[in-house]
């Protein structure tokens, strides 16, 4: 271990690593222990049947429609 710490470069890098780990550890500790500060709202569910979203049918896109769209896009 003494040979490992004999290099000034290694000591400097080990110091940077220690500071980085301390910062990350502090951030994780705050994130874990900090309580939620959001306002809690009461959920309101209705007793009726669920609403079902119906997707529209597929609309045909003809070659003439494509040409008109391309002409309009060329203006921009």
């Amino acid at each position: 271990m003494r040979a490992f710490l004999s290099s000034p470069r290694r000591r400097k890098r080990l110091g940077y690593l220690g500071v980085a780990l301390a910062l990350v550890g502090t951030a994780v500790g705050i994130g874990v222990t900090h309580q939620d500060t959001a306002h809690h709202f009461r959920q309101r569910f209705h007793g009726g049947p669920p609403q079902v979203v119906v997707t529209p049918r597929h609309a045909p896109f003809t070659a003439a429609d494509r040409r008109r769209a391309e002409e309009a896009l060329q203006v921009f």
Side-chain angles (χ1 to χ4, degrees):
M1 188 70 176
R2 183 166 248 181
F4 181 77
L5 293 177
S6 65
S7 170
R9 181 182 296 168
R10 287 186 183 153
R11 284 194 307 264
K12 187 176 181 180
R13 289 181 180 172
L14 191 60
Y16 287 148
L17 180 64
V19 169
L21 287 175
L23 290 174
V24 169
T26 302
V28 168
I30 289 172
V32 168
T33 60
H34 191 283
Q35 294 196 7
D36 186 15
T37 60
H39 299 290
H40 296 285
F41 295 103
R42 201 170 49 103
Q43 294 183 356
R44 289 177 254 166
F45 294 103
H46 302 290
Q51 296 178 354
V52 179
V53 177
V54 179
T55 56
R57 292 183 184 175
H58 179 68
F61 193 66
T62 63
D65 293 334
R66 184 176 176 88
R67 279 194 301 277
R68 281 184 280 181
E70 290 291 333
E71 289 172 6
L73 289 173
Q74 291 302 320
V75 173
F76 296 105

